[in-house]
Amino acid sequence: MRDADGTDARILVVDDEKAIVELLTSLLSCEGFQVLPFTKPLEALLACSQEGFDLAIVDLMMPEMNGFELCSKMRMITTAPILFLSAKDGETDQVAGLTLGADDYITKPFKPRELVARVKAHLRRVDYNSGTPRALCRKSDIEINRRSHEAFLLGEQLTLTPKEFGVLELLVRRAGEPISGEEIFESVWKERYDSSGANSVMVHIRHLREKLSEIDSSREYIKTVWGVGYKLIVSTAPHQETPSSEADPDEA
């Protein structure tokens, strides 16, 4: 269960000063946050588009790409809170940052307790802390948008039933982790698991595999973990799809 202040949230930290990144990583990790640290804005932008995050702390003055430009690009793919961090405390820069889509502006040198308090305050205002997962989630070339109830593979929209979307959303959100048929059924169908539930999950997994394969047949996306359940394979390298059995893994 998520804490009320979002202390298991994923925080993206971007600053060209390695010492600042290390300081923020240590500070936020001690508070229970998962930190994604970057010193290069382009690498951070790539992670933003592929993995998603719940809040970002972005330095304003960076040589490769300044914070204004990075914020503008990030706003094209996420609605997560963005906090600017800068040694410049002029009103013009603060207004420019907020106009581009930033949610807050923190000046250096910052007070650690104040920074953490602001992070938690912003997280309390978004869906994350109401127990709702991130609106956008991307794993293994699959993008899930919970608000619009849409799913995409390699940028191409998947045509899914509500239950298929629910199953895929759960697998993507917990990518790489085997999930039992029982948990999938009770999470998506909201009913008690039984033999008919096992069959329903198996059929929906088969349909998802077929629909994913229609767009990309070069690799396997959903793997059967015998005796455990199913998992979304986290991989950036394509591979040949292997035949999958229709047997219920919970009964293997």
Side-chain angles (χ1 to χ4, degrees), residues 159-169 188-189 203-205 207-208 211:
T159 303
L160 306 176
T161 67
K163 289 293 190 294
E164 289 169 353
F165 179 88
V167 173
L168 184 61
E169 188 274 336
V188 177
W189 276 259
V203 170
H204 281 71
I205 290 291
H207 289 168
L208 283 172
K211 291 181 178 183

Side-chain angles (χ1 to χ4, degrees), residues 61-136:
M61 303 305 294
M62 294 182 287
E64 185 180 79
M65 177 190 295
N66 66 44
F68 292 136
E69 186 178 357
L70 179 59
C71 177
S72 180
K73 292 181 180 296
M74 290 169 67
R75 273 290 168 254
M76 296 178 182
I77 53 180
T78 182
T79 58
I82 298 175
L83 282 62
F84 269 146
L85 190 63
S86 176
K88 302 176 69 175
D89 59 0
E91 181 181 0
T92 301
D93 290 314
Q94 294 184 30
V95 171
L98 296 173
T99 301
L100 283 171
D103 298 273
D104 205 346
Y105 194 103
I106 303 172
T107 56
K108 298 177 182 178
F110 57 85
K111 298 177 181 179
R113 292 176 62 184
E114 179 185 352
L115 184 142
V116 171
R118 290 197 187 195
V119 166
K120 291 181 178 180
H122 282 286
L123 287 172
R124 282 195 294 269
R125 298 188 183 106
V126 297
D127 288 347
Y128 178 89
N129 294 290
S130 64
T132 304
R134 289 183 296 277
L136 288 176

Side-chain angles (χ1 to χ4, degrees), residues 128-188:
Y128 178 89
N129 294 290
S130 64
T132 304
R134 289 183 296 277
L136 288 176
C137 186
R138 298 177 177 86
K139 291 288 174 65
S140 294
D141 297 320
I142 299 175
E143 176 184 316
I144 296 290
N145 189 319
R146 299 186 77 256
R147 289 200 179 102
S148 63
H149 218 72
E150 295 175 319
F152 300 84
L153 173 60
L154 297 171
E156 185 172 340
Q157 185 169 358
L158 292 157
T159 303
L160 306 176
T161 67
K163 289 293 190 294
E164 289 169 353
F165 179 88
V167 173
L168 184 61
E169 188 274 336
L170 179 61
L171 291 171
V172 170
R173 178 155 43 94
R174 292 168 55 181
E177 174 187 346
I179 307 175
S180 69
E182 178 178 1
E183 184 175 356
I184 292 173
F185 185 80
E186 294 186 351
S187 295
V188 177

Side-chain angles (χ1 to χ4, degrees), residues 7-116:
T7 49
D8 63 341
R10 290 161 59 89
I11 310 295
L12 188 76
V13 173
V14 193
D15 196 307
D16 62 313
E17 294 185 48
K18 186 177 180 181
I20 295 295
V21 171
E22 291 177 347
L23 173 61
L24 288 171
T25 299
S26 176
L27 176 65
L28 295 168
S29 296
C30 286
E31 293 292 328
F33 296 111
Q34 300 178 50
V35 182
L36 306 175
F38 293 94
T39 56
K40 296 183 178 181
L42 289 177
E43 292 180 358
L45 187 62
L46 180 62
C48 173
S49 64
Q50 291 183 341
E51 301 182 38
F53 58 90
D54 300 296
L55 181 144
I57 299 175
V58 178
D59 181 41
L60 182 59
M61 303 305 294
M62 294 182 287
E64 185 180 79
M65 177 190 295
N66 66 44
F68 292 136
E69 186 178 357
L70 179 59
C71 177
S72 180
K73 292 181 180 296
M74 290 169 67
R75 273 290 168 254
M76 296 178 182
I77 53 180
T78 182
T79 58
I82 298 175
L83 282 62
F84 269 146
L85 190 63
S86 176
K88 302 176 69 175
D89 59 0
E91 181 181 0
T92 301
D93 290 314
Q94 294 184 30
V95 171
L98 296 173
T99 301
L100 283 171
D103 298 273
D104 205 346
Y105 194 103
I106 303 172
T107 56
K108 298 177 182 178
F110 57 85
K111 298 177 181 179
R113 292 176 62 184
E114 179 185 352
L115 184 142
V116 171

Side-chain angles (χ1 to χ4, degrees), residues 192-248:
R192 184 180 294 276
Y193 185 72
D194 55 19
S195 58
S196 64
N199 184 65
S200 294
V201 171
M202 180 182 66
V203 170
H204 281 71
I205 290 291
R206 185 182 74 236
H207 289 168
L208 283 172
R209 283 171 169 155
E210 291 172 350
K211 291 181 178 183
L212 291 167
S213 181
E214 287 176 1
I215 296 176
D216 179 17
S217 61
S218 68
R219 56 170 293 193
E220 178 184 27
Y221 284 90
I222 301 175
K223 180 179 179 62
T224 297
V225 182
W226 295 109
V228 181
Y230 307 94
K231 73 174 181 179
L232 184 78
I233 300 174
V234 180
S235 174
T236 57
H239 60 273
Q240 293 299 317
E241 186 176 22
T242 56
S244 55
S245 172
E246 297 302 324
D248 177 23

